[in-house]
Amino acid sequence: MSSPHASEVPHPFDNVDAETPGWVYRSLGVEPVINCVGVRTNYGASNPSAEVIAAMTAAAGAFVDLDELAEGVGRKLAALTGAEWGVVTAGTASGLALATAACIAGNNPELMLKLPDTSGLRNKVVIPADQRFAYEQAIRVAGAEIVTVSTFKELSRAVNGDIAMICLLGRMDGSSALSLDCVRPMAEANAIPILINAAGLSPENPDYWISLGADLVVYAGGKYIRGPQSTGIVLGKQHLCRAMWWNAAPHQSFGRLMKVGKEEAIGAVVALDRWINFQSAKTERDQWLPRLKQISSCLAPLPGVETEILTWAGSVTATRVKVSWTSTVVPFDAETLRSAMLERRPRILIHDFWSTPTSIVLDPVNLSDEEAEIVGQALAVAFANPQLIARSVPKTAAKVEVSGEWQVEIEFLRGSATHRFHIEQKNSTIIGVHHTGQSSGAISGEVSGRHVHFEAAHEKTPIWLFYEFDGEVSGSGTISGTVRLGGAAREHLGPVFKGQYGTAMWCAARVATSQTFVDASPLAASRGRAQ
């Protein structure tokens, strides 16, 4: 049977209004948002610029040998930034992993094919204690062991034949005791490469970190410079960047799973060129502050509402607007406002962190002039008519007593685990400790009728773990329900990251008094001191 003519093949998005922004998402039943949170990956970071889209379309029109393309990309990135070479990776986390692989294995085939097995190799990566970051698992994926130091003396003791790399967090350089300037002499004396994680920062010509002596610098390709969202850019010493490339796709080595298409590689290079050299990018950046002022002007006449332009040292945008309000005039909190703005049309997305109960922060990077006006007017309506936003949830007195020790069974999407609760209830309020077997976290929440809702926060480095338990107490005294799973760095403690790992089912049964385990938790210690 012959194949149908192209005109006879149904279009995947037939019967959709392709003139309306976001139509392609609506065709899948997903409503897009007006983005006031900047370049967060959760929401697509940034849209590729027109120049980037045109370049990627051109790249899709022909084929090329990817090793030859890597040579051309490396030379171009070097010319744009003053680095010796450069490589496009599958995002910044991929850049961290490939940089680690390069520093451990180079392009020695026997070592490359062992990864992430690094036994017998230089496999330790030093990170200062105050520069730990949420994405360092990408370093461990390559088989590295992270070593934490707090002082220069500790660094001196740690530097030995096992150290493959030192990783520093770019945005912390001015506030950390172990800055690049401090660490570099010792690293050079011991032939240890220094990697700068500058994912949230922007490249320059000449590149700031390269000029200070960094060996490798990792940038995001799909954030501020508006390249393909799935790309990262690594600049640095030629031998290390080349080793990263040989460890990456299309080669049959550790990084084969971190594939970058020819279109993405071209798009990332054009995005960087545009960011540094094109007037269109400069004009774009000049529009950020006026858009914030546009939002502020919509809110200026409202009683109890204030706006303030904020600046962050080291931030690419260096400008955001803080909207704050008086609780006696506007009786809702920031999370209630955020949720309400997402329920309306058009949907407006506000940061779930960087806020207080009576303030929010808005980022201008992904707003158009028209969208800035929409945001300002929508917020003005919300603040002028708080009854449209404020939600009164009736409180129900607790009908059950859940104090005591509980054995908890959690069924994950794959596998299960046994945890423990120690709970103390006073009226409708509950506190306690959640033991997972790996860590312990503080419980806080409430009982309403027979319903229990509480959060367990486990303080860990670099990411806290969160379990949000929701359940009902049965007639037999067991509790069952769902638990929301997540993790967040201290600076990003909002509901989105707190639920980023999905949900599981849980059921808890009381532990008989004779089975009660010894509670060595901080809560127990504090009770002992109080007594």
Side-chain angles (χ1 to χ4, degrees), residues 397-446:
K399 296 181 179 178
V400 291
E401 170 61 52
V402 296
S403 294
E405 314 294 337
W406 297 79
Q407 180 167 303
V408 187
E409 302 297 333
I410 299 182
E411 290 291 333
F412 300 101
L413 295 175
R414 172 73 173 170
S416 61
T418 299
H419 293 185
R420 292 271 190 154
F421 293 152
H422 169 83
I423 296 177
E424 296 181 3
Q425 178 178 345
K426 183 176 182 180
N427 299 322
S428 294
T429 300
I430 56 177
I431 59 172
V433 181
H434 171 218
H435 300 276
T436 69
Q438 301 295 321
S439 64
S440 297
I443 287 174
S444 60
E446 61 184 6

Coordinates of all heavy atoms in Angstrom, one line a residue, residues 397-446:
A397 N -12.7 20.8 66.0 CA -12.0 20.3 67.1 C -11.5 18.9 66.9 O -12.2 18.1 66.2 CB -12.9 20.4 68.4
A398 N -10.4 18.5 67.5 CA -9.9 17.2 67.3 C -10.8 16.2 68.0 O -11.3 16.4 69.1 CB -8.5 17.1 68.0
K399 N -11.1 15.1 67.3 CA -12.0 14.0 67.8 C -11.2 12.8 68.1 O -11.8 11.7 68.5 CB -13.1 13.7 66.8 CG -14.0 14.9 66.5 CD -15.1 14.5 65.5 CE -16.1 15.6 65.3 NZ -17.1 15.3 64.3
V400 N -9.9 12.9 67.9 CA -9.0 11.7 68.2 C -7.8 12.2 68.9 O -7.4 13.4 68.9 CB -8.6 11.0 66.9 CG1 -9.8 10.3 66.2 CG2 -8.0 12.0 65.9
E401 N -7.1 11.3 69.6 CA -5.9 11.5 70.3 C -4.8 10.7 69.7 O -4.9 9.4 69.6 CB -6.0 11.2 71.8 CG -4.7 11.2 72.6 CD -4.1 12.5 72.6 OE1 -4.7 13.5 72.9 OE2 -2.9 12.6 72.3
V402 N -3.8 11.3 69.1 CA -2.7 10.6 68.4 C -1.4 10.6 69.0 O -0.4 10.2 68.4 CB -2.6 11.1 66.9 CG1 -3.9 10.9 66.1 CG2 -2.2 12.6 66.9
S403 N -1.3 11.1 70.3 CA 0.0 11.1 71.0 C 0.5 9.6 71.1 O -0.3 8.7 71.3 CB -0.2 11.7 72.4 OG -0.5 13.0 72.3
G404 N 1.8 9.5 71.0 CA 2.4 8.2 71.3 C 3.4 7.8 70.2 O 3.8 8.6 69.4
E405 N 3.7 6.5 70.2 CA 4.7 5.9 69.2 C 3.9 5.2 68.1 O 3.0 4.4 68.4 CB 5.7 5.0 69.9 CG 6.2 5.5 71.2 CD 7.2 6.7 71.0 OE1 7.7 6.9 69.9 OE2 7.3 7.5 72.0
W406 N 4.3 5.4 66.9 CA 3.7 4.8 65.8 C 4.7 4.1 64.8 O 5.7 4.7 64.6 CB 2.9 5.8 65.0 CG 1.8 6.5 65.7 CD1 1.9 7.5 66.6 CD2 0.4 6.2 65.6 NE1 0.7 7.9 67.1 CE2 -0.3 7.1 66.5 CE3 -0.4 5.3 64.9 CZ2 -1.7 7.1 66.7 CZ3 -1.7 5.3 65.0 CH2 -2.4 6.2 65.9
Q407 N 4.3 3.0 64.3 CA 5.1 2.3 63.3 C 4.4 2.7 61.9 O 3.2 2.5 61.8 CB 5.2 0.8 63.4 CG 6.0 0.1 62.3 CD 6.4 -1.3 62.7 OE1 7.0 -1.6 63.7 NE2 5.9 -2.2 61.8
V408 N 5.2 3.1 61.0 CA 4.6 3.7 59.8 C 5.1 2.9 58.6 O 6.3 2.7 58.4 CB 5.0 5.2 59.6 CG1 4.3 5.8 58.4 CG2 4.7 6.0 60.8
E409 N 4.2 2.4 57.7 CA 4.6 1.7 56.5 C 4.3 2.6 55.3 O 3.2 3.1 55.2 CB 3.8 0.4 56.4 CG 4.0 -0.6 57.5 CD 5.4 -1.1 57.6 OE1 6.2 -1.1 56.6 OE2 5.8 -1.4 58.8
I410 N 5.3 2.9 54.5 CA 5.1 3.8 53.3 C 5.3 3.0 52.1 O 6.3 2.2 51.9 CB 6.1 4.9 53.4 CG1 5.9 5.8 54.6 CG2 6.0 5.8 52.1 CD1 6.8 7.0 54.7
E411 N 4.4 3.0 51.2 CA 4.4 2.4 49.9 C 4.8 3.4 48.8 O 3.9 4.2 48.4 CB 3.1 1.6 49.6 CG 2.8 0.4 50.4 CD 3.8 -0.7 50.1 OE1 4.3 -0.8 49.0 OE2 4.0 -1.5 51.0
F412 N 6.0 3.3 48.3 CA 6.4 4.2 47.2 C 6.0 3.7 45.9 O 5.4 2.6 45.8 CB 7.9 4.4 47.3 CG 8.4 5.0 48.6 CD1 9.0 4.2 49.5 CD2 8.3 6.4 48.8 CE1 9.5 4.8 50.7 CE2 8.8 6.9 50.0 CZ 9.3 6.1 51.0
L413 N 6.2 4.4 44.8 CA 5.8 3.9 43.5 C 6.5 2.6 43.2 O 6.1 1.8 42.4 CB 6.1 5.0 42.4 CG 5.3 6.3 42.5 CD1 5.8 7.3 41.5 CD2 3.8 6.0 42.3
R414 N 7.7 2.5 43.8 CA 8.5 1.2 43.7 C 9.1 1.0 45.0 O 10.0 1.8 45.4 CB 9.5 1.3 42.5 CG 10.4 0.2 42.4 CD 9.8 -1.1 41.9 NE 10.8 -2.1 41.6 CZ 10.5 -3.4 41.3 NH1 9.2 -3.7 41.2 NH2 11.4 -4.3 41.1
G415 N 8.8 -0.1 45.7 CA 9.4 -0.4 47.0 C 8.6 0.2 48.1 O 7.6 1.0 48.0
S416 N 9.1 -0.1 49.4 CA 8.4 0.4 50.6 C 9.5 0.6 51.7 O 10.6 0.2 51.5 CB 7.4 -0.7 51.1 OG 8.0 -1.9 51.4
A417 N 9.0 1.2 52.7 CA 9.9 1.5 53.9 C 9.1 1.6 55.1 O 7.9 1.9 55.1 CB 10.7 2.8 53.6
T418 N 9.8 1.2 56.3 CA 9.2 1.3 57.6 C 9.8 2.5 58.3 O 11.0 2.6 58.5 CB 9.4 0.0 58.4 OG1 8.8 -1.1 57.7 CG2 8.8 0.1 59.8
H419 N 8.9 3.4 58.7 CA 9.4 4.6 59.5 C 8.7 4.6 60.9 O 7.9 3.7 61.2 CB 9.0 5.9 58.8 CG 9.7 6.1 57.5 ND1 9.5 7.2 56.7 CD2 10.6 5.3 56.8 CE1 10.3 7.2 55.6 NE2 10.9 6.0 55.6
R420 N 9.1 5.6 61.7 CA 8.5 5.7 63.0 C 8.1 7.1 63.3 O 8.7 8.1 62.8 CB 9.5 5.3 64.1 CG 9.9 3.8 64.1 CD 9.0 3.0 65.0 NE 9.5 1.7 65.2 CZ 9.2 1.0 66.3 NH1 8.5 1.5 67.2 NH2 9.7 -0.3 66.4
F421 N 7.0 7.3 64.0 CA 6.6 8.6 64.5 C 6.6 8.6 66.1 O 6.3 7.6 66.7 CB 5.1 8.9 64.2 CG 4.8 9.1 62.7 CD1 3.5 8.9 62.3 CD2 5.8 9.6 61.8 CE1 3.2 9.0 60.9 CE2 5.5 9.8 60.5 CZ 4.2 9.5 60.0
H422 N 7.1 9.7 66.6 CA 6.8 10.0 68.0 C 6.0 11.3 68.0 O 6.5 12.3 67.5 CB 8.1 10.2 68.9 CG 7.8 10.8 70.2 ND1 7.4 10.0 71.3 CD2 7.8 12.0 70.7 CE1 7.2 10.7 72.3 NE2 7.4 12.0 72.0
I423 N 4.7 11.2 68.5 CA 3.8 12.4 68.4 C 3.4 12.8 69.7 O 3.0 11.9 70.6 CB 2.6 12.0 67.5 CG1 3.1 11.7 66.0 CG2 1.6 13.1 67.5 CD1 2.0 11.3 65.1
E424 N 3.3 14.1 70.0 CA 2.7 14.7 71.2 C 1.6 15.6 70.7 O 1.8 16.5 69.9 CB 3.7 15.4 72.0 CG 4.8 14.5 72.5 CD 5.9 15.3 73.4 OE1 5.7 16.5 73.5 OE2 6.8 14.7 73.8
Q425 N 0.4 15.4 71.2 CA -0.8 16.3 70.8 C -1.2 17.1 72.0 O -1.4 16.6 73.1 CB -1.9 15.3 70.4 CG -3.2 16.1 70.0 CD -4.3 15.2 69.5 OE1 -4.0 14.0 69.1 NE2 -5.5 15.7 69.4
K426 N -1.5 18.4 71.7 CA -2.1 19.3 72.7 C -3.2 20.0 72.0 O -3.0 20.8 71.1 CB -1.1 20.3 73.2 CG -1.7 21.2 74.3 CD -0.6 22.1 74.9 CE -1.2 23.0 76.0 NZ -0.2 23.9 76.6
N427 N -4.5 19.6 72.4 CA -5.7 20.1 71.8 C -5.6 19.6 70.3 O -5.6 18.5 70.0 CB -5.8 21.6 71.9 CG -6.0 22.0 73.4 OD1 -6.6 21.3 74.2 ND2 -5.4 23.1 73.7
S428 N -5.6 20.6 69.4 CA -5.5 20.2 67.9 C -4.1 20.3 67.4 O -3.9 19.9 66.2 CB -6.5 21.1 67.1 OG -7.8 20.9 67.5
T429 N -3.1 20.7 68.1 CA -1.8 20.8 67.6 C -1.0 19.6 67.9 O -1.0 19.0 69.0 CB -1.1 22.1 68.3 OG1 -1.9 23.2 68.0 CG2 0.3 22.2 67.8
I430 N -0.2 19.2 66.9 CA 0.7 18.1 67.2 C 2.2 18.5 66.8 O 2.4 19.2 65.9 CB 0.3 16.8 66.4 CG1 0.2 17.1 64.9 CG2 -1.0 16.2 66.9 CD1 -0.1 15.9 64.0
I431 N 3.1 17.9 67.6 CA 4.5 18.1 67.3 C 5.1 16.7 67.5 O 4.5 15.8 68.0 CB 5.2 19.1 68.2 CG1 5.1 18.7 69.7 CG2 4.7 20.5 68.0 CD1 5.9 19.5 70.7
G432 N 6.4 16.5 67.1 CA 7.0 15.2 67.4 C 8.2 15.0 66.5 O 8.8 16.0 66.0
V433 N 8.6 13.8 66.3 CA 9.8 13.4 65.5 C 9.4 12.3 64.6 O 8.7 11.3 64.9 CB 10.9 13.0 66.5 CG1 12.1 12.6 65.6 CG2 11.2 14.0 67.5
H434 N 9.9 12.4 63.4 CA 9.7 11.4 62.3 C 11.1 10.7 62.1 O 12.1 11.4 61.7 CB 9.2 12.1 61.0 CG 9.2 11.2 59.8 ND1 9.6 11.6 58.6 CD2 8.9 9.9 59.7 CE1 9.4 10.6 57.7 NE2 9.1 9.6 58.4
H435 N 11.2 9.4 62.3 CA 12.4 8.7 62.1 C 12.3 7.8 60.8 O 11.4 7.0 60.7 CB 12.7 7.7 63.3 CG 12.8 8.4 64.6 ND1 14.0 9.0 65.0 CD2 11.9 8.6 65.6 CE1 13.8 9.5 66.2 NE2 12.6 9.3 66.6
T436 N 13.2 8.0 59.9 CA 13.2 7.2 58.6 C 14.1 6.0 58.7 O 14.1 5.2 57.8 CB 13.6 8.1 57.4 OG1 15.0 8.4 57.5 CG2 12.8 9.3 57.4
G437 N 15.0 6.0 59.6 CA 16.1 5.0 59.6 C 17.4 5.6 59.1 O 18.5 5.1 59.5
Q438 N 17.3 6.6 58.3 CA 18.5 7.3 57.8 C 18.6 8.7 58.5 O 19.7 9.2 58.6 CB 18.4 7.6 56.3 CG 18.3 6.3 55.5 CD 19.5 5.4 55.6 OE1 20.7 5.9 55.6 NE2 19.4 4.1 55.7
S439 N 17.5 9.3 58.9 CA 17.5 10.6 59.5 C 16.3 10.8 60.4 O 15.3 10.0 60.3 CB 17.6 11.7 58.5 OG 16.4 11.7 57.7
S440 N 16.3 11.9 61.1 CA 15.1 12.2 62.0 C 14.7 13.7 61.7 O 15.6 14.5 61.5 CB 15.5 12.1 63.5 OG 15.8 10.8 63.8
G441 N 13.4 13.9 61.6 CA 12.9 15.3 61.3 C 11.8 15.7 62.3 O 11.1 14.8 62.8
A442 N 11.7 17.0 62.5 CA 10.7 17.5 63.4 C 9.3 17.6 62.7 O 9.2 18.0 61.6 CB 11.1 19.0 63.8
I443 N 8.4 17.1 63.5 CA 7.0 17.0 63.0 C 6.2 18.3 63.6 O 6.4 18.6 64.7 CB 6.3 15.8 63.6 CG1 6.8 14.5 62.8 CG2 4.7 15.9 63.5 CD1 6.2 13.2 63.3
S444 N 5.4 18.9 62.7 CA 4.5 19.9 63.2 C 3.2 19.9 62.3 O 3.3 19.7 61.1 CB 5.2 21.3 63.0 OG 5.5 21.6 61.7
G445 N 2.1 20.0 63.0 CA 0.8 20.0 62.2 C -0.4 20.0 63.2 O -0.3 20.6 64.3
E446 N -1.5 19.5 62.7 CA -2.7 19.6 63.5 C -3.6 18.5 63.2 O -3.5 17.7 62.2 CB -3.4 21.0 63.2 CG -3.8 21.1 61.7 CD -4.4 22.5 61.5 OE1 -4.4 23.3 62.4 OE2 -4.9 22.7 60.3

